[in-house]
Amino acid sequence: MFLAEVVGTVVSPVQIQALDGRKLLIVRPVKPDGTPTAKTRIAVDTVQAGVGDRVLVLDEGNGGRQILGDPKAPVKTVIIGIVDYVDANGALVYDHRRRALQAPRVESGPR
């Protein structure tokens, strides 16, 4: 498993049956503080994550197939959790709740 940040979505109108109706997200593996550590990957979302979320990713085929309930699904990378906060060495290095409070407000212009 690894921590990742969701950086995008994938839309694929033609796909295998095991992925039918499932959301695919682009995830970038990160260190606990959010520093990127590896290349992006495509993951099956099982927890309703979205762009900007810090997530927990399972990157192991058998476990992914078990989560999806399909022993023959050609799946390796699955998002299995949305991270609320990360505490590393006694320090809070990521807090989704603070991030949500600090998000810039989008003002709509005159109509």
Side-chain angles (χ1 to χ4, degrees), residues 31-62:
K31 293 179 182 178
D33 68 0
T35 306
T37 62
K39 294 181 180 180
T40 58
R41 302 170 193 197
I42 298 173
V44 178
D45 179 30
T46 65
V47 297
Q48 300 302 309
V51 173
D53 283 339
R54 185 79 47 93
V55 293
L56 186 59
V57 179
L58 178 65
D59 195 39
E60 188 272 315
N62 187 48

Side-chain angles (χ1 to χ4, degrees), residues 38-100:
K39 294 181 180 180
T40 58
R41 302 170 193 197
I42 298 173
V44 178
D45 179 30
T46 65
V47 297
Q48 300 302 309
V51 173
D53 283 339
R54 185 79 47 93
V55 293
L56 186 59
V57 179
L58 178 65
D59 195 39
E60 188 272 315
N62 187 48
R65 289 187 290 276
Q66 288 179 16
I67 288 169
L68 297 181
D70 185 344
K72 295 184 180 182
V75 172
K76 181 181 179 202
T77 309
V78 180
I79 298 170
I80 59 171
I82 297 174
V83 176
D84 286 332
Y85 66 92
V86 177
D87 184 323
N89 299 321
L92 187 63
V93 294
Y94 172 78
D95 188 340
H96 178 74
R97 299 161 297 185
R98 282 192 193 161
R99 193 178 74 82

